[in-house]
Amino acid sequence: MNVGVAHSEVNPNTRVMNSRGMWLTYALGVGMLHIVLLSIPFFSVPVAWTLTNVIHNLGMYVFLHAVKGTPFETPDQGKARLLTHWEQLDYGVQFTSSRKFFTISPIILYFLASFYTKYDTTHFILNTASLLTVLIPKLPQLHGVRIFGINKY
C-alpha cells in the first residue's frame, strides 16, 4: 500500500481514457475549439477547419506520443517513466475501445476538414501531414519503438 496515494489503480494513466464521460468531454473540447476558431472574424471556414484539425493533432501528438511518464507515484519501479501515455493506455493492450476511439477521432476530423475545405491542395496537404503525425505513432508495430532514438530517455 502506498501512503498518500488516493487511487486504487497501479497506474491511473492506464484507465483515465475509459473513465465515465471522457469521450464526450473530448468531443466537446474539439467542438469548442472549432467554434472559437470560427468566431475569429478573419478566419474563413476552410482555414478554421484546417486549424482545428492541425491544433487537435498537435495536442494529441504532444499529450499522447511525446510526453512520457506519469504525474502519479506508481509502484511499478519506474516502468511507466519510460512509456508515453499512448503506450500506458489500457496497460498496453492493443485494439481496446479507447484506443479505437482515439485512433478514429482524428480520421473523422480529417474527413470533415477535407470536406469543408473542398479538397483544396494546400489544406489537403496540411491536413494529411497532420493526420499522419498522429496515426503513425499509434500503429501496434511502433509500440515502444523510438525512431532515430528520439524521445529515448
Side-chain angles (χ1 to χ4, degrees):
M1 181 164 124
N2 291 335
V3 178
V5 177
H7 50 76
S8 61
E9 292 284 335
V10 174
N11 182 357
N13 269 359
T14 59
R15 306 294 294 172
V16 70
M17 296 302 184
N18 289 328
S19 62
R20 187 175 181 172
M22 181 62 193
W23 295 0
L24 178 63
T25 304
Y26 174 82
L28 289 174
V30 173
M32 288 300 298
L33 170 66
H34 183 65
I35 289 171
V36 167
L37 290 173
L38 277 175
S39 68
I40 298 174
F42 52 87
F43 284 166
S44 65
V45 172
V47 169
W49 274 106
T50 298
L51 282 175
T52 302
N53 188 35
V54 169
I55 291 170
H56 166 267
N57 290 342
L58 179 68
M60 181 177 266
Y61 179 79
V62 168
F63 291 119
L64 290 181
H65 303 293
V67 177
K68 291 168 49 174
T70 177
F72 312 102
E73 180 184 346
T74 59
D76 63 359
Q77 297 180 359
K79 291 178 187 172
R81 182 179 59 86
L82 301 174
L83 299 175
T84 63
H85 190 86
W86 181 257
E87 293 165 346
Q88 295 175 39
L89 189 63
D90 294 330
Y91 298 102
V93 176
Q94 300 296 322
F95 306 115
T96 60
S97 58
S98 58
R99 283 182 181 253
K100 288 176 186 177
F101 175 78
F102 287 106
T103 301
I104 290 173
S105 59
I107 296 171
I108 292 171
L109 189 59
Y110 170 76
F111 285 147
L112 287 170
S114 296
F115 176 77
Y116 283 106
T117 59
K118 296 180 176 70
Y119 304 98
D120 178 64
T121 306
T122 306
H123 292 285
F124 190 75
I125 290 171
L126 286 171
N127 288 325
T128 303
S130 175
L131 177 68
L132 291 177
T133 60
V134 294
L135 279 188
I136 292 173
K138 287 180 173 59
L139 293 172
Q141 294 84 0
L142 295 178
H143 184 81
V145 174
R146 303 293 182 253
I147 298 175
F148 302 122
I150 298 172
N151 204 11
K152 185 178 179 181
Y153 300 107

